[in-house]
Amino acid sequence: MSGHGTPIPMTSSPCGPLSGVAEVPGDKSISHRSLILGAMAVGETKITGLLEGEDVLDTAKAMRALGAEVIDHGNGSWSVHGVGVGGFAEPENVIDCGNSGTGVRLLMGAVATCPISVTFTGDASLNGRPMARVTDPLALFGTQAVGRKGGRLPMTIVGAVEPVPVRYEVPMPSAQVKSAVLLAGLNAPGQTVVIEKEATRDHSERMLAGFGAEITTEQTADGRVITLTGQPELNPQVIAVPRDPSSAAFPVCAALLAPGSDVLVPGIGLNPTRAGLFTTLREMGADLTYENERLEGGEPVADLRARYSPSMVGVVVPPERAASMIDEYPVLSAIAANATGITMMAGVKELRVKESDRIDAMARGLRANGVEVDEGADWWSVTGMGIGNVPGGGTCESFLDHRIAMSFMVLGMGAQNPVSVDDGGPIATSFPIFEPLMTQLGAKVSRD
Ligand code: S3P
């Protein structure tokens, strides 16, 4: 459930060694993009390793509502019969993207240059998030958007009938905004250009090239300049989705905190635009190694081995690394609480507009468990207490945010007393097997 159902209170108790192999689910970002680009190609795209979390399942439903045939073959194996660029049909009903900012923002882009109207909604978290960051650039194509005050969902997108190509400099580091503009550019004639000052995850660019679109990326003094030639015919692909580094972060960090642990997390995507957490953990002194590094489907992949790391130290995380670990700051703060010294995280104001205000959510929960946190508009710092010295014993609000809930579960594994969350339900949006997987490694995670 993602905010529609009964809350699921959960508790994580201090545990002994975590050991074994943690097979985390497929990458969420790549899963959304596989379904959407598959639906915009002509013919059958085959996908294995798709994340079957609520966020991605909502995108699969949306693709069906827009006219693509999406078939679940079981075990993460899916196929999509696409309708071609510009071929989406007007859905008969409102599209509910649940908790997923990525789902709704990418879909808004994908329909923006089709001559159809589509109304989007989501859960309480998603309906509170800003959409003007996407609808502003889409307006340049000729797309109209009518939503609630402050550019919030529910919102209707009226696609441009005669779209024009766009040149757009993304004002904030956001792969969702960049991708929405690129997806809209697919059905505009001529060249759409997107400029980003800081590099964000580049799965859309890689996958568009894989589907046969003409797309180039150039590093200039102004940043990364991405040029897409519109109205291509996209060719269906065979896609093996790598496992999600953002989900791997939880068993990896848990292993660093639980005494005696040794956990292998195989087949993790290590695209440099996503791997900032692992760099930071190694700088802190974590016993984290990459084994069997390889390329799979155009993405770098490795097996991660994480062992109990009792002597981690606080670090300054450079702002220019923020985009490559933006979803991992919550769990990093649980590690920082167990390091010695202060960990300073700056240049992170985007954390305030995620599924929750993640600085506020983590600060409240960490303080409830005896950890000192300071914060400003775009920075926060955690004062480390040394491994195993976090008192715990607190109950934290998860604010309909999967990563907040899982980060507090990790905190509890290395604390002196259990740590609880009011609602672990949102975990199903991105990591539906979190509880059985962590339990099988030796964690003590329970529903209250
Ligand atoms: C994502 C981009 C990021 C990230 C989100 C997934 C994507 O959001 O936080 O979980 O798949 O493009 P922003 O674009 O808001 O930074």
Side-chain angles (χ1 to χ4, degrees):
M1 74 110 214
S2 55
H4 305 293
T6 314
I8 303 173
M10 284 172 61
T11 295
S12 170
S13 301
C15 58
L18 300 179
S19 61
V21 178
E23 296 197 331
V24 305
D27 189 284
K28 183 154 70 71
S29 294
I30 297 177
S31 294
H32 282 295
R33 287 160 173 80
S34 306
L35 292 170
I36 295 172
L37 284 180
M40 296 175 90
V42 178
E44 187 190 21
T45 287
K46 294 181 175 170
I47 309 167
T48 52
L50 190 86
L51 166 63
E52 292 173 338
E54 288 170 358
D55 279 12
V56 175
L57 296 178
D58 284 333
T59 291
K61 272 190 226 150
M63 297 330 323
R64 286 190 188 117
L66 288 162
E69 193 183 349
V70 181
I71 303 169
D72 174 3
H73 299 284
N75 253 336
S77 174
W78 290 65
S79 58
V80 184
H81 291 260
V83 295
V85 168
F88 285 138
E90 190 164 270
E92 287 181 8
N93 219 324
V94 172
I95 290 190
D96 187 344
C97 289
N99 191 250
S100 181
T102 306
V104 78
R105 290 181 175 139
L106 267 53
L107 289 172
M108 282 181 175
V111 302
T113 48
C114 298
I116 57 173
S117 295
V118 186
T119 302
F120 293 98
T121 191
D123 70 2
S125 156
L126 189 58
N127 287 1
R129 296 180 68 185
M131 295 298 147
R133 54 177 53 204
V134 174
T135 53
D136 285 351
L138 295 183
L140 304 174
F141 288 97
T143 308
Q144 289 172 276
V146 186
R148 287 190 306 135
K149 212 163 53 188
R152 317 274 157 177
L153 302 180
M155 180 177 278
T156 298
I157 299 290
V158 182
V161 177
E162 286 182 18
V164 292
V166 154
R167 182 180 177 88
Y168 190 68
E169 190 170 320
V170 185
M172 71 289 289
S174 170
Q176 292 174 358
V177 175
K178 167 178 68 176
S179 303
V181 177
L182 290 172
L183 289 170
L186 274 178
N187 198 36
Q191 291 190 324
T192 286
V193 180
V194 187
I195 302 149
E196 56 175 7
K197 280 184 229 107
E198 297 163 50
T200 63
R201 65 192 68 196
D202 62 356
H203 305 303
S204 297
E205 297 93 302
R206 287 177 190 245
M207 206 180 278
L208 278 163
F211 273 86
E214 205 180 309
I215 183 166
T216 59
T217 301
E218 201 190 338
Q219 192 62 49
T220 71
D222 296 334
R224 288 176 80 237
V225 179
I226 304 151
T227 305
L228 172 74
T229 302
Q231 300 183 328
E233 178 162 312
L234 299 181
N235 307 314
Q237 296 300 298
V238 175
I239 300 172
V241 179
R243 298 181 196 275
D244 198 327
S246 298
S247 296
F250 298 103
V252 163
C253 288
L256 303 178
L257 295 186
S261 296
D262 184 348
V263 170
L264 185 72
V265 196
I268 299 306
L270 280 185
N271 180 316
T273 61
R274 296 287 301 281
L277 171 74
F278 306 124
T279 306
T280 304
L281 291 173
R282 299 218 278 195
E283 283 175 7
M284 295 175 86
D287 186 349
L288 173 62
T289 50
Y290 298 167
E291 297 177 1
N292 196 13
E293 289 181 59
R294 56 207 186 264
L295 266 185
E296 276 179 16
E299 294 273 352
V301 164
D303 304 336
L304 303 184
R305 171 158 241 129
R307 297 185 180 90
Y308 177 54
S309 299
S311 346
M312 290 183 285
V313 293
V315 292
V316 176
V317 186
E320 60 273 17
R321 194 180 291 157
S324 70
M325 53 179 289
I326 195 66
D327 290 333
E328 283 68 72
Y329 283 96
V331 74
L332 175 66
S333 69
I335 294 290
N338 283 276
T340 49
I342 292 174
T343 293
M344 165 60 89
M345 298 162 278
V348 290
K349 67 170 184 286
E350 280 295 302
L351 288 179
R352 296 212 179 265
V353 289
K354 294 292 176 186
E355 285 83 332
S356 66
D357 174 340
R358 286 182 169 162
I359 297 177
D360 179 65
M362 287 309 298
R364 284 168 192 257
L366 285 166
R367 288 178 190 135
N369 285 284
V371 182
E372 200 183 314
V373 181
D374 285 321
E375 60 179 293
D378 75 339
W379 64 271
W380 55 317
S381 67
V382 174
T383 302
M385 309 183 82
I387 195 91
N389 291 331
V390 171
T395 298
C396 316
E397 279 183 81
S398 61
F399 296 99
L400 289 180
D401 189 328
H402 52 134
R403 300 201 202 285
I404 298 300
M406 288 187 279
S407 298
F408 285 125
M409 293 293 93
V410 169
L411 185 74
M413 293 173 203
Q416 292 172 345
N417 295 287
V419 173
S420 300
V421 289
D422 63 339
D423 185 11
I427 292 173
T429 62
S430 69
F431 202 157
I433 58 167
F434 177 77
E435 289 164 81
L437 184 143
M438 294 308 302
T439 305
Q440 171 224 315
L441 295 176
K444 294 182 186 151
V445 175
S446 61
R447 295 185 178 211
D448 303 340

